[in-house]
Structures are given as structure tokens and as C-alpha cells.
Amino acid sequence: MSLYQEIQQWQEALGTLLRQGEELCQKVAELEHQNANLQKRLVDENYQSNGFEALANLYDEGFHICPGSFGQSREEDCLFCLNFLLHKGKKV
């Protein structure tokens, strides 16, 4: 393989990495926006109810409230979230 071909391969690989980096940046921006909205809702709901009720509402709307996945969408029940809710006295 010639030096020119090697340089072309490096350029192609770099182009791929740049595109992947841009995609990651967009995903991070989306997640930061979602997180900011969830935090704002949580703060707003804290003024209207106690914090536990706000967390229970978030869970009911399909979001994790457990520390490991807080704010992420959930497709099914989460044992960690449910344990928190049961421990705090909410019947699920």
C-alpha cells in the first residue's frame, strides 16, 4: 500500500470520527435539554406538592426516578424505582 493510499484511509477514518462526534454532540444537547426540562418540572412541582409526589408523578409519566437512570425514559417498570416508591409508602 502506498503512502498516498494510507493517507486517504486516515482521512476517511477521520471523516467518520468527525461525523460520529457531531452525532454524539447532538444527542448530548438533546439529553441536556430534556434534563433541564425535567429539573425545572421537578422544582416547579416541589412548590405545588412535596418532593416525593413530584417523583412519583415523573415515574407515572414514564421516567426513571432511581439515581442510576434518573430522568431517562423507561419502557417498563424498574425495580429500583419501584423499590424507592414502595419504601416511601406509595402503593404502585
Side-chain angles (χ1 to χ4, degrees):
M1 179 182 300
S2 72
L3 181 59
Y4 179 76
Q5 289 172 328
E6 285 185 46
I7 292 172
Q8 281 184 318
Q9 284 183 339
W10 277 96
Q11 286 177 327
E12 289 173 12
L14 182 58
T16 300
L17 287 173
L18 287 171
R19 283 189 296 280
Q20 289 173 343
E22 289 172 0
E23 291 171 7
L24 285 173
C25 284
Q26 288 176 343
K27 183 66 176 172
V28 166
E30 291 171 12
L31 291 172
E32 286 177 340
H33 179 72
Q34 180 185 24
N35 188 39
N37 286 338
L38 288 171
Q39 287 178 348
K40 183 181 181 319
R41 283 188 50 209
L42 190 58
V43 168
D44 290 346
E45 287 182 20
N46 277 335
Y47 290 116
Q48 298 171 4
S49 64
N50 70 41
F52 177 77
E53 289 175 11
L55 290 173
N57 289 339
L58 283 176
Y59 183 81
D60 290 340
E61 291 176 18
F63 295 100
H64 282 278
I65 59 169
C66 59
S69 302
F70 183 79
Q72 295 177 11
S73 296
R74 61 177 179 79
E75 300 298 320
E76 54 190 25
D77 284 335
C78 170
L79 293 177
F80 298 107
C81 293
L82 290 174
N83 185 46
F84 174 78
L85 292 173
L86 291 173
H87 180 70
K88 294 293 183 181
K90 181 181 188 280
K91 293 180 173 65
V92 289

